[in-house]
Amino acid sequence: MARLTRAESQARTRERLIASGRIAFARTGYVSASIEEIAEGAGFSKGAFYSNFATKEALALEIARFDTDEVVQATVTAIDHAKGNPDRMMANVAALARSLSENPDRYILRAELMLHAARSPGFAAAYQEQYIRQHQQITELIATLLYQLNVPPLSAPSVLASAVMALAQGHALLRPVGDPSSFAETLRTFLDTAVHRARLAAEVDKSLSTGQPRASSSEQPA
Amino acid sequence: MARLTRAESQARTRERLIASGRIAFARTGYVSASIEEIAEGAGFSKGAFYSNFATKEALALEIARFDTDEVVQATVTAIDHAKGNPDRMMANVAALARSLSENPDRYILRAELMLHAARSPGFAAAYQEQYIRQHQQITELIATLLYQLNVPPLSAPSVLASAVMALAQGHALLRPVGDPSSFAETLRTFLDTAVHRARLAAEVDKSLSTGQPRASSSEQPA
Amino acid sequence: MARLTRAESQARTRERLIASGRIAFARTGYVSASIEEIAEGAGFSKGAFYSNFATKEALALEIARFDTDEVVQATVTAIDHAKGNPDRMMANVAALARSLSENPDRYILRAELMLHAARSPGFAAAYQEQYIRQHQQITELIATLLYQLNVPPLSAPSVLASAVMALAQGHALLRPVGDPSSFAETLRTFLDTAVHRARLAAEVDKSLSTGQPRASSSEQPA
Amino acid sequence: MARLTRAESQARTRERLIASGRIAFARTGYVSASIEEIAEGAGFSKGAFYSNFATKEALALEIARFDTDEVVQATVTAIDHAKGNPDRMMANVAALARSLSENPDRYILRAELMLHAARSPGFAAAYQEQYIRQHQQITELIATLLYQLNVPPLSAPSVLASAVMALAQGHALLRPVGDPSSFAETLRTFLDTAVHRARLAAEVDKSLSTGQPRASSSEQPA
DNA sequence: GATGAATGAGACTTCATTCAT
DNA sequence: AATGAATGAAGTCTCATTCAT
């Protein structure tokens, strides 16, 4: 095996601590998760933690960065791989939503971080940067999707992005108290409806101009 | 002033502790809020707390009950006061959404409780009861609203209730990290759209049967 | 045995913690002495310590107060018991010096506190109050002594008080590095000299007026 | 510039660490000063520290040696430069006292070391060697001074040396708690008094033998 | 010789909880 | 019922020291 340089070795340590931290924060909560638990989960001592992060909050921030990177990357990929094809785009977005919401830990973790942000102004400011990055990317995803579907948006894409993010976040929190509904499902319904409506609208325009009757309006949900 | 009986006096103490607990849990977080802080906020000592609640979790549960009672009561009132009038119902629901989301502390508190539920099976079971009560009431509110608006639902009312609750919850969490969007606004948009669509659908049906042209489909958002 | 009231019981706890703290600070040093060590020395748990003192520094301050009280009290007694008699006063002061310097722990403790004062402005301000109390009392002791001995002072009594306190403090610190000299001895020498000089001066005055020779000036040290 | 040899380079590192250690011990205290702080102050890493000193205590010892060397050297110079002239000697001693006491850090540092000596027998033994060197040198300074002034000593010069060292040490510790008096001032007073007394004594002897009146005894302090 | 990541003991402090008053 | 002193476990963080690079 190739010997790791010192820098590589430390980067590995950091990565493991971050991974362990994500698990610990999600499982135990930001406040309750102990440095001991986090370090041990990564296979290190408490001291190693403090060699890599000044405080627990510093780790939380790094986790937020990591988490954002992942989501942004996945979003970019979803857009790029669709290559302008609306059907592929729909499928990609649905798959992305399912994949993200399939692991509720991500949203539990986010809830922890957001609650911490509500109490720590410093952390809030730093976390905000990450939030904005994600929000912009999702806004772009939505705008692209709507454009490709040729669907006039209900609201501005950035507002829709907020709504989508809130919905995903909220769903994850409702689950532990017994709510069986799923964000991916809800989103899927909206997407299908939007497409259906787009197609329907075109059809209606045509039928209006020819005087032919169309499908009943009860099939056209919102 | 009339002397309070022993029972009344204790009930008062409980109430104050519950009120203080809501504030403390929202401000400081469930884990970080100390019994001392809660008791002091109610004007009592730690001992008084333990005379009224076995543990911190027992208080959390009582708080959940209280919170649910408030929301259920407000929902019932919103339905009843509409007296079958769709416009009044629309206004009531919008007002309810605004009033609830105006105080983000309620949702911060709920996030705390939901996260705690994710870790404490006992608490989760107990909180679930409360959640179900709210969910049923909101389902009824939605069903009633849709019925009065004569709008065919996108999904089952109970699923819509979950979505609405998730959206409200999610929005509250997004705020501390800088998201400026508002749940009440989002909901309002949906409501208006739904009404618009309902009216439009009726008009379309009519125009179709008479052959008259209708407003362009681009005015029909989703 | 008489049952202790709650207040009495806590006062006892405080006293024991203070006593234990004095020992621990002197033996182990202010920084190194642990709350555990202090509490255990008093027969309590760490928690009991924090029920009585907010921080280690708060204990240090209480110790300073206690220490000052003792010294001030002893000084007052030394003055009062002399009842204006110069010989008794001399003996009292010498005894006081011996008794204080016989227990070097007091000065070790003081050195710890003074060093801490050099680093903690808050503590310095609070300790200063105690220092001033002692200094004033010792100034009074010295002024009284000089007056009764009818010795014109080398400097202002308050400056002499500083010198005496510094000397006592310094001697205690020199001991651990092997200096065998003693503050009490040094002070005794000064006192005897002062008296001797006072007597001598009177004699010289007399001899001058009668023309009788006196003892050689080489017997009159400084 | 000439390349430093390996040995020279290491000597430089040691010197810097010692200088940084003096500052750190004085500023932060022996116990609280961290190796990191010391190394960083010297522009090195912790590793460099441990390449030069086995433990923190080893550095303390080296610092003690350094400090002693400086004082001894200054004392020797003060004696030598006086070249037997009493007035110059007086001035030199006064200047030395002022220069030493002008930087209270030296005495803060010494207090730290002495307190550490009180707790570490090994360190005490080693520090004692340094103390003795200084004490002997100061004893010689005092003896020389008294001889040149032709003043019969109050006590043995070595005892006076202890007193002077204690006084200097004590004064430095009293300062942080607000004592405004100064060792240099105190010493100056003593020196002036001693000289005055020496001159006076000579005059008195003369006046006694001639029957002439002399200055009032109240001008002759002790 | 110098670096600094990692260790692990130990520090101060907080806090849910108990219990005598 | 209410108080609050005391407990003791647990948490965050510091730091002297080691050792591979």
Side-chain angles (χ1 to χ4, degrees):
Chain A
M1 198 219 303
R3 214 44 162 296
L4 290 178
T5 71
R6 242 175 167 202
E8 286 168 339
S9 166
Q10 189 172 16
R12 248 171 90 86
T13 304
R14 269 183 85 86
E15 259 172 58
R16 287 187 189 173
L17 286 168
I18 290 171
S20 175
R22 290 175 86 172
I23 294 169
F25 284 169
R27 182 176 50 205
T28 317
Y30 175 73
V31 176
S32 294
S34 71
I35 303 299
E36 172 95 54
E37 173 187 352
I38 294 167
E40 202 162 80
F44 293 97
S45 68
K46 271 180 294 181
F49 177 90
Y50 283 101
S51 287
N52 280 280
F53 302 97
T55 62
K56 209 208 265 198
E57 203 174 64
L59 171 65
L61 200 50
E62 211 67 3
I63 286 176
R65 248 192 281 276
F66 226 83
D67 192 47
T68 296
D69 286 347
E70 283 187 359
V71 171
V72 165
Q73 191 51 53
T75 311
V76 168
T77 303
I79 296 175
D80 289 357
H81 282 27
K83 293 182 180 167
N85 178 324
D87 288 340
R88 228 173 335 185
M89 186 72 176
M90 282 283 289
N92 285 355
V93 168
L96 178 61
R98 182 164 3 263
S99 113
L100 288 178
S101 68
E102 225 151 41
N103 179 11
D105 274 6
R106 159 168 276 124
Y107 292 98
I108 295 292
L109 173 61
R110 287 181 168 213
E112 291 288 340
L113 298 181
M114 288 167 178
L115 286 172
H116 181 57
R119 282 144 200 160
S120 166
F123 181 74
Y127 193 15
Q128 190 160 351
E129 285 181 37
Q130 304 307 317
Y131 177 73
I132 288 170
R133 275 175 60 210
Q134 296 179 65
H135 186 269
Q136 285 177 338
Q137 196 54 235
I138 291 173
T139 297
E140 181 163 338
L141 179 73
I142 288 174
T144 305
L145 179 65
L146 291 172
Y147 173 77
Q148 294 187 357
L149 293 179
N150 194 30
V151 178
L154 182 66
S155 318
S158 86
V159 171
L160 289 177
S162 292
V164 165
M165 290 177 83
L167 202 54
Q169 187 62 56
H171 261 301
L173 283 179
L174 259 43
R175 183 174 304 192
V177 293
D179 190 293
S181 69
S182 120
F183 163 65
E185 208 99 351
T186 301
L187 188 63
R188 185 82 197 170
T189 303
F190 270 101
L191 288 179
D192 287 347
T193 303
V195 173
H196 183 207
R197 190 165 62 70
R199 303 246 157 94
L200 211 53
E203 193 186 316
V204 165
D205 282 344
K206 194 173 130 202
S207 73
L208 279 175
S209 55
T210 60
Q212 293 309 309
R214 59 170 178 82
S216 97
S217 71
S218 69
E219 281 181 44
Q220 185 186 341
Chain B
M1 199 218 299
R3 210 42 162 304
L4 291 177
T5 68
R6 188 78 78 87
E8 284 169 338
S9 167
Q10 190 167 10
R12 247 171 92 84
T13 304
R14 272 182 82 85
E15 256 173 60
R16 287 188 189 171
L17 286 168
I18 289 171
S20 175
R22 292 176 84 174
I23 294 169
F25 285 169
R27 183 175 49 205
T28 316
Y30 174 72
V31 176
S32 294
S34 71
I35 303 298
E36 172 99 52
E37 173 187 354
I38 294 166
E40 206 161 74
F44 293 97
S45 68
K46 275 177 292 180
F49 177 90
Y50 282 100
S51 291
N52 281 277
F53 301 97
T55 63
K56 212 207 265 198
E57 203 173 66
L59 171 66
L61 204 50
E62 212 66 3
I63 286 176
R65 246 192 283 276
F66 224 84
D67 193 47
T68 296
D69 285 348
E70 283 187 359
V71 172
V72 165
Q73 190 51 52
T75 312
V76 168
T77 303
I79 295 174
D80 289 357
H81 281 27
K83 294 182 181 168
N85 178 325
D87 287 340
R88 220 161 354 172
M89 187 71 177
M90 283 283 290
N92 285 356
V93 168
L96 178 61
R98 181 162 6 262
S99 114
L100 289 178
S101 70
E102 225 151 44
N103 178 12
D105 274 7
R106 158 167 279 124
Y107 292 98
I108 295 292
L109 174 61
R110 286 181 169 214
E112 290 288 340
L113 298 181
M114 287 167 178
L115 286 171
H116 181 57
R119 282 140 201 163
S120 167
F123 182 74
Y127 194 16
Q128 190 159 352
E129 284 180 37
Q130 305 305 318
Y131 177 73
I132 289 171
R133 274 175 61 210
Q134 296 179 65
H135 187 268
Q136 285 177 339
Q137 195 55 234
I138 292 174
T139 298
E140 181 163 338
L141 179 74
I142 288 174
T144 304
L145 179 65
L146 292 172
Y147 173 77
Q148 294 186 357
L149 294 178
N150 194 27
V151 178
L154 182 67
S155 318
S158 84
V159 171
L160 289 176
S162 292
V164 165
M165 292 177 81
L167 203 52
Q169 186 61 57
H171 261 300
L173 284 179
L174 259 44
R175 182 174 303 192
V177 294
D179 191 293
S181 70
S182 116
F183 164 65
E185 208 101 351
T186 301
L187 189 62
R188 185 83 196 168
T189 304
F190 271 103
L191 289 177
D192 288 348
T193 305
V195 171
H196 183 208
R197 190 163 62 72
R199 303 245 158 95
L200 209 54
E203 191 185 316
V204 166
D205 283 344
K206 195 173 131 202
S207 74
L208 278 176
S209 53
T210 61
Q212 294 306 311
R214 58 169 182 82
S216 98
S217 70
S218 68
E219 280 180 45
Q220 183 186 341
Chain C
M1 197 219 302
R3 210 51 161 293
L4 289 178
T5 71
R6 245 174 164 201
E8 286 167 341
S9 166
Q10 189 172 15
R12 247 170 92 86
T13 304
R14 268 184 86 85
E15 260 172 57
R16 287 186 188 172
L17 286 167
I18 290 171
S20 175
R22 290 175 86 171
I23 294 169
F25 284 168
R27 181 177 50 205
T28 317
Y30 175 72
V31 175
S32 294
S34 72
I35 303 299
E36 172 95 54
E37 173 187 353
I38 294 166
E40 203 162 78
F44 292 98
S45 68
K46 271 181 293 182
F49 176 90
Y50 283 101
S51 288
N52 281 279
F53 302 97
T55 61
K56 210 208 264 199
E57 202 174 64
L59 170 66
L61 201 51
E62 210 67 3
I63 286 177
R65 248 193 280 276
F66 225 83
D67 192 47
T68 297
D69 285 347
E70 283 186 0
V71 172
V72 165
Q73 190 50 54
T75 312
V76 168
T77 302
I79 296 175
D80 289 357
H81 281 26
K83 293 183 182 168
N85 178 325
D87 288 340
R88 218 157 1 168
M89 187 72 176
M90 283 283 290
N92 285 355
V93 168
L96 178 60
R98 181 162 6 262
S99 113
L100 288 178
S101 69
E102 224 150 44
N103 178 13
D105 274 6
R106 158 167 279 126
Y107 292 98
I108 295 292
L109 173 61
R110 287 182 167 212
E112 290 288 341
L113 297 181
M114 287 167 179
L115 286 172
H116 181 57
R119 282 144 200 160
S120 167
F123 181 75
Y127 194 15
Q128 190 160 350
E129 284 181 37
Q130 305 307 317
Y131 178 73
I132 289 170
R133 276 174 61 210
Q134 296 178 66
H135 187 269
Q136 284 176 339
Q137 196 55 235
I138 292 173
T139 298
E140 181 163 339
L141 179 74
I142 288 175
T144 305
L145 179 65
L146 292 172
Y147 174 77
Q148 293 186 359
L149 293 178
N150 195 29
V151 178
L154 181 66
S155 318
S158 85
V159 172
L160 289 176
S162 291
V164 165
M165 290 177 83
L167 202 53
Q169 187 62 55
H171 262 299
L173 283 179
L174 261 43
R175 181 172 306 190
V177 293
D179 191 293
S181 71
S182 120
F183 163 66
E185 209 98 351
T186 301
L187 188 62
R188 185 81 197 169
T189 304
F190 271 102
L191 287 179
D192 287 349
T193 304
V195 172
H196 182 208
R197 192 165 60 72
R199 302 246 159 92
L200 212 53
E203 193 185 314
V204 166
D205 283 343
K206 195 172 128 201
S207 73
L208 279 175
S209 54
T210 60
Q212 293 307 308
R214 58 168 178 84
S216 97
S217 72
S218 69
E219 281 181 42
Q220 185 185 340
Chain D
M1 197 217 301
R3 208 48 161 299
L4 291 178
T5 69
R6 189 77 79 86
E8 284 169 341
S9 166
Q10 190 168 10
R12 247 172 92 84
T13 304
R14 273 182 80 85
E15 256 174 60
R16 287 189 189 170
L17 286 168
I18 289 171
S20 175
R22 292 175 83 173
I23 294 170
F25 285 169
R27 182 174 50 204
T28 316
Y30 174 72
V31 176
S32 293
S34 70
I35 303 298
E36 172 98 52
E37 173 187 354
I38 294 166
E40 204 161 77
F44 293 97
S45 69
K46 275 176 293 179
F49 177 90
Y50 282 101
S51 291
N52 282 278
F53 302 97
T55 62
K56 211 207 265 198
E57 202 173 66
L59 170 66
L61 204 50
E62 211 66 3
I63 285 176
R65 246 192 284 277
F66 224 84
D67 193 48
T68 296
D69 285 348
E70 282 188 359
V71 172
V72 165
Q73 189 51 52
T75 312
V76 168
T77 303
I79 297 175
D80 289 357
H81 281 28
K83 294 180 182 169
N85 179 325
D87 287 340
R88 224 167 345 179
M89 187 71 177
M90 282 282 290
N92 285 356
V93 168
L96 178 61
R98 183 165 2 264
S99 114
L100 289 177
S101 70
E102 225 150 44
N103 179 12
D105 274 7
R106 159 166 278 125
Y107 292 98
I108 295 292
L109 173 61
R110 287 181 169 215
E112 290 288 340
L113 298 180
M114 287 167 178
L115 286 172
H116 181 57
R119 283 142 200 161
S120 167
F123 182 74
Y127 194 16
Q128 190 159 350
E129 283 181 38
Q130 305 305 319
Y131 178 73
I132 289 170
R133 275 175 60 210
Q134 294 179 66
H135 187 268
Q136 285 176 338
Q137 196 52 56
I138 292 174
T139 298
E140 180 162 339
L141 179 73
I142 288 175
T144 305
L145 179 65
L146 292 173
Y147 173 77
Q148 294 188 358
L149 294 177
N150 194 29
V151 178
L154 181 67
S155 318
S158 85
V159 171
L160 288 176
S162 292
V164 165
M165 291 177 81
L167 202 53
Q169 187 61 56
H171 261 300
L173 284 179
L174 260 44
R175 182 174 304 193
V177 294
D179 191 293
S181 70
S182 116
F183 164 65
E185 208 100 349
T186 301
L187 188 62
R188 186 83 196 167
T189 305
F190 270 102
L191 288 178
D192 287 349
T193 304
V195 172
H196 183 208
R197 190 163 64 69
R199 303 244 158 94
L200 210 55
E203 191 185 315
V204 166
D205 284 343
K206 194 172 132 204
S207 74
L208 279 176
S209 54
T210 60
Q212 295 306 310
R214 59 169 179 83
S216 98
S217 71
S218 69
E219 280 181 42
Q220 184 187 340

